[in-house]
Amino acid sequence: MRRPWSLLAPVLVMLALVLAGCSSPMREAAPGGLTGDWHGSIEIPDHPLAVGVTFTDEGKATIDIPAQGVDAAPLGDVSNDPDDVAWTLAKMPGNPSFQGKYDKGSDSIKGRFSQSGQTFPLNLTHGKVEGPPRPQEPKPPYPYKSEDVSYPSGDITIAGTLTEPNSGGPFPTVVLINGSGPNDRNEELLGHKPFLLLADTLTRAGYAVLRTDKRGVGKTGGHLDSATYQELTDDIGAGMAFLHGRSEIDAKRIGLLGHSEGGYLVPLYATRPDSGVAFVIMMAGPSVPGSDVLVEQNRLILTAQGATPEQISQQVAFSSTLATLLRSGDLEAAKTYVRQHNDSLPADKKLSEADIDDLVTPYMAALVDYDPAPALSALRVPVLALYGSKDLQVPAAQNEGPARTLLAADPDATVHVFDGLNHLMQPADKGTPDEYAKIETTIDPQVLTFVTDWLTQRFPPAR
């Protein structure tokens, strides 16, 4: 699970009574009793929050919060006794919990949800909770070929999906590279599947598209926390080698599209000798060092959330010091610093030891220490760099200018800022991460059109 200080990946923020995570298909409701699916709303004044709770035959339970992309988060201290229905969300700030009782007359569970000293009604009835609509999400049957594939990268296996038009070829090809954190091949988060949408759009336009699970995610082996940028770019190279072995792929017209941290990895691989990369697309890809992005995203997000100047100053100082320690490579010192900072926080804001372990890893250190300037300035293939004016994680104001400067020697480089779009390229209000799940649009259609037009002008598909 990503935390509020997670660099570059879409930030999942704990706000009031909201637990963030990733979404996936819901389950069928059970016909009766407490076993099965239940749904209701935490009655927060003016902001009711829909939740779903599933009780299993084994006495366990999970919770879904579709508006925040939470799916099947395990619950603790579960009691499904009709006279004493209870559960807690372990290791979460504010000790969230539920206490209720089954009411036979209404066939419902009536109770109250508590967190951080606040209590709100939560009544549950049979059935699954419905998530917010995702009108852009492609649904099968698809008008193109879709194949699950796998191939080696060193001592691990990379797993993904290759989509291709039904006819024509050999196909120009786009390889999608995920943002930071444990992303699957669809880059699924908060109920959105941006890479599924991108693959669908580009394949319909005549391109083959390869998208993969990141290390340690889905069916891909390895461990992300210990991964280096050498290994992550080696994984890109393994994908290129796999595509070169496919006769229907035009080996001279394979390019890379990286979102967020993927915008670091794509140029880094593309500038390897004999990489064979024909073009580079950076979607919200940073052009300044990771440590700079970390500090600025903390400042901007807290400001947009209405934090006080003192709170912002404290968090920026914490982020800056942590980034310095991570860049030094002394992870034990970094963990010690985070623990000391954690001790100064109120009880409902404290991180668990697992949270700290997630924050301070070799992978995070590599990300924070990375400077994209050498790779960007060395690119000599067509490059498209896209930013959103309301992106608070890879801010356009911080990254557009350096991108233009670093790409100035490239004979075909386009840098474009979309007005009003956030880090996921959604139309946004404030641009804060807590808006991501609430926005129905997965990627603004104008972005999809812009990318497709840019590609077809330079690498038209074979018809």
Side-chain angles (χ1 to χ4, degrees):
M1 183 182 298
R2 302 184 191 99
R3 301 299 180 187
W5 19 253
S6 178
L7 178 62
L8 306 184
V11 178
L12 310 183
V13 181
M14 173 68 79
L15 292 176
L17 304 175
V18 175
L19 167 68
C22 293
S23 178
S24 64
M26 303 297 173
R27 293 162 294 275
E28 295 297 324
L34 299 190
T35 299
D37 289 319
W38 298 79
H39 73 281
S41 293
I42 301 172
E43 298 300 333
I44 306 168
D46 300 321
H47 298 284
L49 184 64
V51 301
V53 176
T54 298
F55 294 99
T56 71
D57 290 329
E58 295 79 23
K60 298 180 180 180
T62 58
I63 189 169
D64 301 321
I65 310 178
Q68 294 299 315
V70 177
D71 176 73
L75 295 171
D77 302 318
V78 175
S79 171
N80 60 3
D81 183 331
D83 292 325
D84 181 23
V85 184
W87 42 262
T88 63
L89 272 166
K91 299 181 180 180
M92 296 305 301
N95 301 312
S97 64
F98 173 83
Q99 193 74 41
K101 184 176 181 179
Y102 175 71
D103 181 74
K104 186 175 182 180
S106 62
D107 190 23
S108 65
I109 300 171
K110 296 184 177 181
R112 301 186 71 80
F113 178 88
S114 301
Q115 185 175 12
S116 300
Q118 300 183 77
T119 301
F120 303 97
L122 171 56
N123 299 328
L124 301 169
T125 58
H126 279 294
K128 62 183 180 180
V129 64
E130 296 294 335
R134 298 291 184 246
Q136 289 179 297
E137 184 173 317
K139 303 291 184 183
Y142 306 119
Y144 49 79
K145 300 173 185 176
S146 181
E147 177 187 357
D148 287 341
V149 299
S150 63
Y151 48 86
S153 178
D155 58 357
I156 72 167
T157 296
I158 304 290
T161 300
L162 177 65
T163 54
E164 300 172 346
N166 282 323
S167 61
F171 305 112
T173 303
V174 183
V175 182
L176 304 182
I177 307 301
N178 285 309
S180 69
N183 286 299
D184 67 11
R185 67 192 69 186
N186 294 327
E187 202 181 46
E188 183 174 352
L189 71 162
L190 297 170
H192 291 284
K193 300 177 181 177
F195 276 14
L196 175 62
L197 176 58
L198 276 169
D200 181 82
T201 300
L202 295 173
T203 307
R204 289 172 186 266
Y207 297 86
V209 181
L210 176 65
R211 63 190 197 273
T212 61
D213 299 329
K214 208 164 184 178
R215 284 190 170 226
V217 179
K219 296 182 178 180
T220 292
H223 301 279
L224 183 60
D225 285 348
S226 59
T228 65
Y229 269 27
Q230 175 71 37
E231 291 172 322
L232 293 176
T233 48
D234 284 348
D235 292 346
I236 297 175
M240 294 289 290
F242 165 76
L243 291 170
H244 278 236
R246 306 273 300 210
S247 61
E248 77 276 22
I249 301 298
D250 185 342
K252 294 183 179 180
R253 297 197 295 166
I254 303 174
L256 310 176
L257 187 159
H259 175 231
S260 196
E261 184 200 28
Y264 271 169
L265 298 173
V266 163
L268 183 59
Y269 177 78
T271 51
R272 285 189 181 186
D274 304 319
S275 72
V277 172
F279 59 87
V280 163
I281 301 174
M282 300 162 54
M283 183 179 293
S287 62
V288 298
S291 55
D292 294 350
V293 180
L294 173 66
V295 172
E296 184 66 1
Q297 69 174 214
N298 271 264
R299 185 183 70 80
L300 291 176
I301 291 172
L302 286 174
T303 299
Q305 291 174 345
T308 66
E310 181 181 8
Q311 290 171 326
I312 295 169
S313 178
Q314 290 174 347
Q315 181 63 22
V316 166
F318 167 72
S319 300
S320 180
T321 301
L322 176 59
T324 299
L325 291 170
L326 288 171
R327 295 185 68 187
S328 75
D330 191 343
L331 299 190
E332 285 306 313
K335 283 190 178 182
T336 298
Y337 174 69
V338 175
R339 292 188 184 105
Q340 291 172 344
H341 175 77
N342 199 42
D343 289 341
S344 69
L345 298 176
D348 63 334
K349 304 293 184 183
K350 289 185 183 296
L351 305 175
S352 69
E353 189 63 25
D355 294 331
I356 296 172
D357 288 341
D358 288 344
L359 175 62
V360 182
T361 64
Y363 164 66
M364 182 62 73
L367 197 159
V368 170
D369 191 45
Y370 183 68
D371 181 358
L376 288 174
S377 60
L379 287 173
R380 293 297 184 271
V381 296
V383 178
L384 174 61
L386 306 175
Y387 299 98
S389 69
K390 292 191 175 182
D391 186 344
L392 304 186
Q393 293 186 248
V394 179
Q398 181 189 45
N399 291 276
E400 176 197 6
R404 293 186 185 279
T405 299
L406 293 168
L407 294 170
D410 191 298
D412 184 3
T414 302
V415 179
H416 184 80
V417 178
F418 290 94
D419 186 46
L421 304 191
N422 62 19
H423 187 61
L424 301 189
M425 295 292 160
Q426 301 169 299
D429 180 16
K430 294 180 180 179
T432 51
D434 59 294
E435 293 180 340
Y436 297 169
K438 302 172 186 177
I439 300 170
E440 291 187 6
T441 302
T442 297
I443 299 176
D444 194 301
Q446 66 175 315
V447 177
L448 300 174
T449 299
F450 197 100
V451 170
T452 303
D453 288 349
W454 184 89
L455 273 174
T456 54
Q457 289 168 12
R458 292 161 177 79
F459 303 91
R463 299 293 187 181

